[in-house]
Amino acid sequence: MTLTELKYIVAVARAKHFGHAAEACFVAQPTLSVAIKKLEDELGVMLFERGGAEVSVTPLGAQIVAQAERVLEQTAAIKELAKQNKDPLAGPLRLGVIYTIGPYLLPPLVKTMIETTPQMPLILQENYTVKLLELLRQGELDAAIMALPLPEHGMAMQTLYDEPFVVAMPKNHPWINRERIPAEDLKSETMLLLGAGHCFRDQVLEVCPEMARFSTPGNGMQRTFEGSSLETIRHMVASGIGLTVLPRASVADMDAQDGMLQYRYFEDPQPSRRVVIVWRKSFTRKAAIDALCDAIAQIRLPGVVAVETTA
């Protein structure tokens, strides 16, 4: 049994005609017919019912053809792996990103990657940190962009940039005359947070630990409200429900005066998060990771500070 013979029976099953199948395989019809007869003799079964203008596949032949298709697909995958090993930038890169980074990093990143490495399109998935790490371990993703701290993962990691946090408030809030906001002052305000599962929620609670006791029911008056995304929370702040903390890259213009929101930096030491890229140590396309990191370094995300550190 050879891959060529498997290719021939798949072609006949699709074309339902020996002559057309031979043309599709670029061989003479006698060559194709002899090869298929040889395979049938080897297997001891009839794959096709001959006669009439159209060839039909036997019930058992249909099962064998389906298996042959899977074998040929896997063979093509092996060739693709070898090709990518020769040129790590050839072929898609499956990239995961956490929800609070994706909307702000991905638009300029995709544009930059198209300009610099068009032969390596990005297959993107947004998810929670824990889920992205799980997909990495399962081989469903090649790399993921997320923020420290991370649970134990045993993977390769490289730092991309540090991103400060800022306070967002309604345009008529009393704090708009302040240049900087002390983190401890947030405990006197009604705060809006992301829902459970978002790592950014945990990072905000680290900025103002007092909010943690109000962010769960059963502890007296509810002092926080939850949103499903940063953009939803931004709209809630604009409507006057309360304040929130945002990553700096989500704010295009800190000095905008014509919108519904005002933004202020924290007093020093400013709270921030470190954004990293993580990948399996067994991943062979390191040059693809390097190209991705180079593209991110070229992007001028507002307020972030590049960090050239490898862990």
Side-chain angles (χ1 to χ4, degrees):
M1 185 187 305
T2 66
L3 291 174
T4 299
E5 291 168 351
L6 298 182
K7 178 182 176 182
Y8 289 168
I9 66 171
V10 169
V12 172
R14 291 175 177 173
K16 293 182 170 49
H17 191 282
F18 278 85
H20 296 163
E23 291 176 5
C25 295
F26 303 101
V27 297
Q29 181 175 333
T31 300
L32 180 139
S33 298
V34 169
I36 291 178
K37 184 64 169 63
K38 173 179 173 291
L39 180 59
E40 288 179 323
D41 291 342
E42 178 183 345
L43 297 176
V45 299
M46 183 176 290
L47 301 175
F48 303 101
E49 294 179 356
R50 297 146 173 95
E54 189 175 277
V55 175
S56 60
V57 187
T58 65
L60 180 57
Q63 297 180 45
I64 293 174
V65 168
Q67 184 64 39
E69 289 176 329
R70 289 191 287 270
V71 171
L72 293 173
E73 287 173 2
Q74 291 300 313
T75 302
I78 291 173
K79 292 179 179 179
E80 183 64 25
L81 285 173
K83 176 184 176 182
Q84 291 178 355
N85 188 56
K86 294 177 182 177
D87 181 6
L89 302 183
L93 184 73
R94 300 168 299 173
L95 178 67
V97 189
I98 60 174
Y99 291 114
T100 57
I101 292 178
Y104 318 108
L105 174 63
L106 291 181
L109 176 59
V110 169
K111 181 177 183 293
T112 302
M113 293 296 289
I114 290 173
E115 294 171 351
T116 58
T117 52
Q119 73 275 33
M120 190 177 74
L122 297 178
I123 299 176
L124 302 168
Q125 178 171 158
E126 284 186 302
N127 219 311
Y128 298 109
T129 297
V130 173
K131 182 60 177 178
L132 292 178
L133 288 173
E134 178 185 340
L135 293 173
L136 277 172
R137 294 188 189 96
Q138 294 172 350
E140 298 295 320
L141 289 176
D142 299 321
I145 296 173
M146 51 192 71
L148 297 180
L150 299 177
E152 183 61 35
H153 53 79
M155 298 187 188
M157 183 176 75
Q158 181 166 319
T159 300
L160 297 175
Y161 54 83
D162 287 337
E163 180 178 22
F165 299 159
V166 299
V167 179
M169 65 188 78
K171 65 177 182 179
N172 57 354
H173 194 277
W175 289 359
I176 61 172
N177 294 320
R178 297 188 185 185
E179 292 186 3
R180 301 262 175 167
I181 306 299
E184 59 268 20
D185 285 3
L186 294 181
K187 65 184 179 182
S188 63
E189 296 290 316
T190 298
M191 298 297 299
L192 285 79
L193 303 174
L194 285 171
H198 291 276
C199 62
F200 187 69
R201 170 197 174 92
D202 300 329
Q203 292 160 356
V204 172
L205 290 176
E206 287 182 10
V207 174
C208 189
E210 292 86 353
M211 283 191 288
R213 66 189 179 94
F214 296 117
S215 64
T216 55
N219 290 305
M221 181 178 176
Q222 185 85 2
R223 288 287 302 283
T224 64
F225 295 86
E226 294 183 355
S228 59
S229 71
L230 291 180
E231 296 311 307
T232 298
I233 288 177
R234 204 191 302 256
H235 292 306
M236 293 169 69
V237 171
S239 70
I241 293 177
L243 276 60
T244 195
V245 176
L246 297 174
R248 176 63 181 85
S250 70
V251 181
D253 184 3
M254 287 286 293
D255 300 320
Q257 300 295 322
D258 56 351
M260 299 294 291
L261 296 173
Q262 291 282 304
Y263 303 99
R264 295 293 183 271
Y265 284 106
F266 281 93
E267 282 190 350
D268 291 333
Q270 293 186 53
S272 65
R273 66 178 176 179
R274 174 155 291 188
V275 175
V276 299
I277 183 169
V278 179
W279 67 95
R280 293 185 308 282
K281 292 179 180 178
S282 60
F283 185 58
T284 59
R285 298 171 62 194
K286 180 57 168 62
I289 302 295
D290 292 339
L292 187 65
C293 293
D294 290 343
I296 294 172
Q298 295 178 37
I299 298 170
R300 300 295 182 221
L301 286 176
V304 308
V305 180
V307 179
E308 297 181 1
T309 303
T310 302

